[in-house]
Amino acid sequence: MKLFMILIVQIFSTPSTVIYEFNANSQINDGWAIRDNDCFFYNCGGINYFGQPLNDDNPIWISRLFSNLKAHSHIQVEAKVLRIYTSDPFGVDLDYIVAQKSITSSSSSSAVCSGSYVLSITTTPIKHNRRTLWIKAYFFNAGGLMSLKISMINCEYDCIGCIENYKIFCLSWKLHQYSFGEKLITNSDGWIFQPTFSSDFDCGYCNYLYFFETNYSTQLPTHQNLLIRFYKGNTIIIVDYVYGKKTFSFNSQLVEILIENHLDPILLLNIKSQPSTDRGQIRDFELYYTQPEIPIPINKLNEGCLEQIDTKCLICQEGWIYDQFLENCHPICGDKGQLYQTRNFEVSEIIINKFNEGCLEQIETRCLICKEGWIQDQFFENCRPICGDGVIQGQEKCDDANLISNDSCYQCEYSCINFCKTCEFGICFECIFGYDLNADFDCVPMCGDGNVIPYSAEQCDLTDDGKWDNCQDCLYILIADCKNQLLSMCLECKVGFQLLENACFPNCGDKFILQQYEECDDGNLQPYDGCFQCKFQCSEDCNICDKGQCILKCEDGYKFVNNNCLSVCGDQIVTKEEDCDDGNTIQFDGCFNCMYSYSCPENCYDCYQGTCLECNDKYQLLNSNQCKLQLDCGDGYLQKQEECDDGNYEALDGFGYAPRQQKLLLANVHFPNLQNQQLHISI
């Protein structure tokens, strides 16, 4: 009991800081996550609360995340809750830990909100030293949260991380890296993983890194001990840190791994889920280190110090004052006390070259004007070189004329470039896993290993089946004529192009002419108007077209042959090259082959311009301008139109005077005056 009271006194004697306050009177949700969306602002008899109304008995769950907290050792929560016709409890969890609390209640003074009472809740200080805190509150039935205040109790010695559960004093620890601490994870320095995340309501739907296996590497400063700290979700994970392996159970918990006497300049971590088919979950990764324990002549470095840890003085002797910048003690000037022989703060002889390097003019130890390339330090009243001017002076080890970190020289001290595992004088000799050292001694992602390094120049890599899917040299192939491309997707094409199935095609009909694809663009799809389908096009009967303009068009009666208009014989159109054109190729009909000289009909004796005036002997001139053979039956000559010709006109002699068209009619006719006589009639 005595030890507990001492602990309570120690906690409450340490300054506390209010980090958050909520009041339902503001009617502002202020980032609280709500499960099932059943929590709203209500008023009961003038009392504002955040919860649910009367006659509603659904459970209410709300949560919120707080990140980037300052160093602290404990967290305390104070709240006021309105309960209406219910005695169900109000619960508060901090990082999955159920908070122990004291509760006082009072009836509501409002007659309108009858049956209600107000609970005042104060949790006991909960041990908590993480840089991230999440709170979950839950209650049932009518009522809700009126106000809430969260306070943190600062570290006793202003330690970084408030690490107090190891034999190493908390002031010895220094923070090297803090990752995955935001609600939505973005920071991944040194981590290699597929960008997959899960979310959890208990921390306000914050992200967890969601993985089967992940790797981490970082180059450490000069150090001796390491402390790895992160929060894991409900999965079994195995952490391999080269010096050993540790397996952590299924439950959500804070993981801490202490590695003493870590000698390597590089820390390598491999974290796997167990079994391998499940995914691991981690967030809020912190890495701390301590500097090597080197024997230090205390009397020399911390003269005037009464109590100190390592090289840091905690309390100065009487007549001395603590220097916040140098973290040591120096004598109080003007206290009329003893003149202490210290590190050249009050000595009879001043070494000008040592203390005032870069000074152009000075009085005693105080520099008035600095040399070019130097700047006056108002605290030390001396000169120091200008870091970033590209000139190495004084205590500068390098100066690359910029203040960019991780580019081999930072703040005029040698530094390793990003993703470098081993370097010397700012030059990298070995890169971390997943990176290659190129000819410029830069660490670039290893292309072709099937892994895409997040937040690097890599955009893509070999797929699981070993194919480069729209990927070349680990960069997505540029989509032709795309104006705005995001990874492998084209968001917007250049002017004159249209986006179809993630490709840019010329947009014919937009009145914008693409010289390499289109001859013209008149903004329509009308044929024979000079431009059709973005190609020059003249009218249908144009024979020579130049850029939509008709240069040669043949007249009627002509056709286009070998870039010339030639007369068409047989179309019944007489051109200047033709004497005639009767539309056929029949000889002796007055016009044949449209020749310059007319042709006479066959068997014509005399003709003029194709018209027969007189036929040959025994031929008859017809109206059709043809000469037809006359039949002379009985001349003894057999003509084509005759079946026979016996040279006489006697009938009934085997031949008759009848052409092929005539018939011999024989009839019996009775004449009364011609008894028993036969009459022959030839027709």
Side-chain angles (χ1 to χ4, degrees):
M1 177 62 71
K2 184 176 180 180
L3 179 61
F4 176 76
M5 292 179 61
I6 293 174
L7 177 62
I8 295 296
V9 171
Q10 182 179 6
I11 291 175
F12 284 98
S13 63
T14 305
S16 63
T17 303
V18 177
I19 62 172
Y20 177 74
E21 288 188 277
F22 170 83
N23 196 305
N25 292 330
S26 68
Q27 301 285 305
I28 298 175
N29 176 283
D30 198 21
W32 286 90
I34 306 169
R35 180 176 291 176
D36 300 328
N37 295 319
D38 284 337
C39 190
F40 301 95
F41 288 97
Y42 297 96
N43 183 283
C44 183
I47 300 175
N48 291 314
Y49 65 95
F50 186 48
Q52 57 187 1
L54 187 62
N55 301 325
D56 197 340
D57 57 357
N58 292 322
I60 294 296
W61 304 79
I62 59 176
S63 61
R64 197 181 190 283
L65 178 107
F66 303 90
S67 59
N68 294 316
L69 301 178
K70 294 182 179 180
H72 60 281
S73 61
H74 294 76
I75 292 291
Q76 188 174 41
V77 179
E78 300 173 66
K80 285 189 176 181
V81 180
L82 179 67
R83 310 303 285 135
I84 306 175
Y85 290 111
T86 181
S87 59
D88 290 336
F90 176 84
V92 178
D93 291 358
L94 300 177
D95 292 0
Y96 300 112
I97 301 174
V98 179
Q100 300 296 321
K101 51 189 177 295
S102 61
I103 302 175
T104 59
S105 64
S106 61
S107 299
S108 171
S109 60
S110 172
V112 178
C113 193
S114 58
S116 65
Y117 59 95
V118 176
L119 296 179
S120 296
I121 300 172
T122 302
T123 67
T124 56
I126 300 174
K127 188 174 179 62
H128 187 281
N129 60 0
R130 298 196 307 115
R131 296 168 65 91
T132 302
L133 165 73
W134 53 77
I135 179 172
K136 180 178 69 175
Y138 48 92
F139 48 91
F140 303 88
N141 297 323
L145 184 64
M146 297 169 55
S147 64
L148 182 138
K149 181 172 71 174
I150 303 176
S151 303
M152 68 178 186
I153 300 173
N154 301 334
C155 290
E156 183 178 4
Y157 298 105
D158 292 330
C159 301
I160 297 177
C162 236
I163 304 170
E164 299 175 344
N165 50 337
Y166 299 102
K167 63 182 180 180
I168 303 170
F169 189 56
C170 72
L171 283 173
S172 301
W173 291 105
K174 298 182 182 297
L175 179 65
H176 176 68
Q177 185 171 339
Y178 177 46
S179 302
F180 309 144
E182 299 296 330
K183 181 177 179 179
L184 302 178
I185 293 176
T186 56
N187 184 13
S188 61
D189 292 344
W191 290 89
I192 299 176
F193 61 90
Q194 295 293 331
T196 305
F197 308 102
S198 64
S199 61
D200 187 0
F201 169 78
D202 287 350
C203 58
Y205 292 117
C206 69
N207 283 165
Y208 276 83
L209 178 62
Y210 202 46
F211 62 93
F212 294 111
E213 179 178 1
T214 183
N215 293 284
Y216 169 76
S217 63
T218 184
Q219 181 171 353
L220 298 165
T222 304
H223 66 284
Q224 182 167 339
N225 305 309
L226 297 178
L227 177 64
I228 302 167
R229 186 161 71 182
F230 59 86
Y231 211 93
K232 65 170 289 294
N234 289 325
T235 51
I236 299 174
I237 61 171
I238 302 174
V239 181
D240 185 348
Y241 50 94
V242 180
Y243 282 61
K245 288 185 180 181
K246 285 193 175 182
T247 302
F248 296 90
S249 63
F250 180 84
N251 297 328
S252 298
Q253 60 184 288
L254 178 65
V255 172
E256 288 192 352
I257 301 175
L258 176 66
I259 308 176
E260 295 183 291
N261 299 317
H262 185 274
L263 304 179
D264 294 337
I266 303 294
L267 172 64
L268 299 175
L269 294 180
N270 175 265
I271 306 177
K272 295 181 180 179
S273 60
Q274 184 68 30
S276 59
T277 54
D278 293 344
R279 287 183 181 266
Q281 303 177 72
I282 64 170
R283 61 167 289 119
D284 302 320
F285 177 84
E286 299 169 274
L287 177 60
Y288 296 89
Y289 70 96
T290 63
Q291 293 179 333
E293 297 178 1
I294 302 175
I296 301 174
I298 298 176
N299 293 333
K300 178 180 179 182
L301 294 178
N302 288 306
E303 186 178 3
C305 184
L306 184 63
E307 293 184 11
Q308 74 178 53
I309 296 176
D310 296 335
T311 62
K312 184 175 182 179
C313 183
L314 301 180
I315 303 175
C316 294
Q317 298 176 4
E318 184 179 359
W320 297 70
I321 188 171
Y322 185 72
D323 189 311
Q324 298 288 341
F325 184 80
L326 298 177
E327 296 183 346
N328 62 6
C329 301
H330 64 84
I332 300 173
C333 181
D335 62 351
K336 298 182 180 180
Q338 180 181 357
L339 179 65
Y340 298 93
Q341 297 297 324
T342 67
R343 293 185 299 159
N344 298 320
F345 281 99
E346 292 185 7
V347 293
S348 57
E349 181 180 358
I350 300 176
I351 306 174
I352 297 176
N353 292 334
K354 179 178 180 181
F355 288 99
N356 288 303
E357 184 182 5
C359 184
L360 186 63
E361 294 183 12
Q362 72 180 55
I363 297 177
E364 296 179 349
T365 62
R366 181 177 181 181
C367 184
L368 302 178
I369 302 175
C370 295
K371 295 179 181 179
E372 184 178 358
W374 297 70
I375 190 172
Q376 192 168 34
D377 190 311
Q378 298 294 332
F379 184 81
F380 290 107
E381 296 183 343
N382 61 6
C383 297
R384 56 180 173 84
I386 299 174
C387 184
D389 61 355
V391 181
I392 301 175
Q393 300 183 99
Q395 302 300 316
E396 293 179 336
K397 295 180 180 179
C398 58
D399 195 323
D400 57 358
N402 65 58
L403 297 177
I404 301 174
S405 61
N406 304 110
D407 69 340
S408 75
C409 182
Y410 179 58
Q411 295 181 344
C412 294
E413 296 284 341
Y414 289 117
S415 67
C416 284
I417 61 173
N418 283 326
F419 314 113
C420 181
K421 179 179 180 180
T422 306
C423 72
E424 186 174 351
F425 301 112
I427 300 175
C428 186
F429 295 101
E430 183 182 5
C431 298
I432 63 174
F433 175 78
Y435 287 81
D436 275 335
L437 189 67
N438 64 12
D440 297 326
F441 295 97
D442 292 326
C443 291
V444 296
M446 187 182 297
C447 186
D449 60 355
N451 295 318
V452 178
I453 307 298
Y455 308 104
S456 70
E458 269 192 340
Q459 296 178 345
C460 53
D461 211 311
L462 280 174
T463 59
D464 294 338
D465 55 0
K467 296 181 179 179
W468 294 95
D469 188 8
N470 295 324
C471 185
Q472 182 177 359
D473 297 331
C474 288
L475 296 175
Y476 282 110
I477 297 174
L478 293 178
I479 299 174
D481 302 306
C482 181
K483 179 182 178 181
N484 186 4
Q485 180 172 340
L486 177 63
L487 300 179
S488 61
M489 298 180 296
C490 182
L491 305 180
E492 181 184 4
C493 293
K494 295 179 181 177
V495 176
F497 293 86
Q498 59 181 334
L499 185 62
L500 297 174
E501 297 181 353
N502 203 39
C504 294
F505 296 93
N507 187 11
C508 185
D510 61 355
K511 294 186 178 182
F512 186 86
I513 300 175
L514 297 172
Q515 299 295 338
Q516 65 271 40
Y517 300 105
E518 301 172 338
E519 293 180 356
C520 56
D521 196 325
D522 58 359
N524 64 60
L525 299 177
Q526 182 68 33
Y528 310 117
D529 64 347
C531 182
F532 180 61
Q533 294 182 346
C534 292
K535 300 291 184 181
F536 288 121
Q537 184 187 59
C538 292
S539 59
E540 286 185 272
D541 54 357
C542 182
N543 301 113
I544 298 181
C545 181
D546 183 26
K547 297 181 179 179
Q549 300 296 321
C550 186
I551 296 177
L552 178 61
K553 177 181 177 181
C554 293
E555 299 177 357
D556 293 341
Y558 293 86
K559 63 180 179 180
F560 188 72
V561 178
N562 296 330
N563 289 329
N564 290 299
C565 291
L566 301 181
S567 176
V568 178
C569 184
D571 60 357
Q572 294 185 330
I573 299 174
V574 180
T575 64
K576 62 182 179 179
E577 290 85 8
E578 300 172 338
D579 287 333
C580 59
D581 195 325
D582 57 359
N584 62 59
T585 57
I586 300 174
Q587 294 185 3
F588 311 115
D589 63 350
C591 184
F592 179 66
N593 287 340
C594 300
M595 299 298 291
Y596 287 100
S597 60
Y598 292 93
S599 62
C600 292
E602 187 179 8
N603 297 315
C604 180
Y605 176 75
D606 184 16
C607 71
Y608 175 73
Q609 293 185 351
T611 302
C612 186
L613 302 177
E614 183 183 359
C615 293
N616 291 333
D617 186 33
K618 296 185 180 182
Y619 283 84
Q620 182 182 1
L621 182 61
L622 304 178
N623 291 333
S624 62
N625 198 36
Q626 299 294 320
C627 291
K628 180 180 180 183
L629 180 65
Q630 285 184 323
L631 293 179
D632 190 5
C633 184
D635 61 357
Y637 295 100
L638 182 65
Q639 306 290 338
K640 291 182 180 180
Q641 291 84 356
E642 295 176 329
E643 293 180 356
C644 60
D645 194 328
D646 58 357
N648 63 62
Y649 297 101
E650 293 295 329
L652 303 177
D653 63 352
F655 297 94
Y657 177 70
R660 185 174 302 173
Q661 292 83 359
Q662 293 178 336
K663 300 295 182 181
L664 181 64
L665 300 179
L666 181 64
N668 291 320
V669 182
H670 175 71
F671 293 93
N673 297 324
L674 298 176
Q675 294 182 1
N676 297 323
Q677 297 293 321
Q678 190 176 43
L679 175 66
H680 292 272
I681 300 175
S682 178
I683 301 175

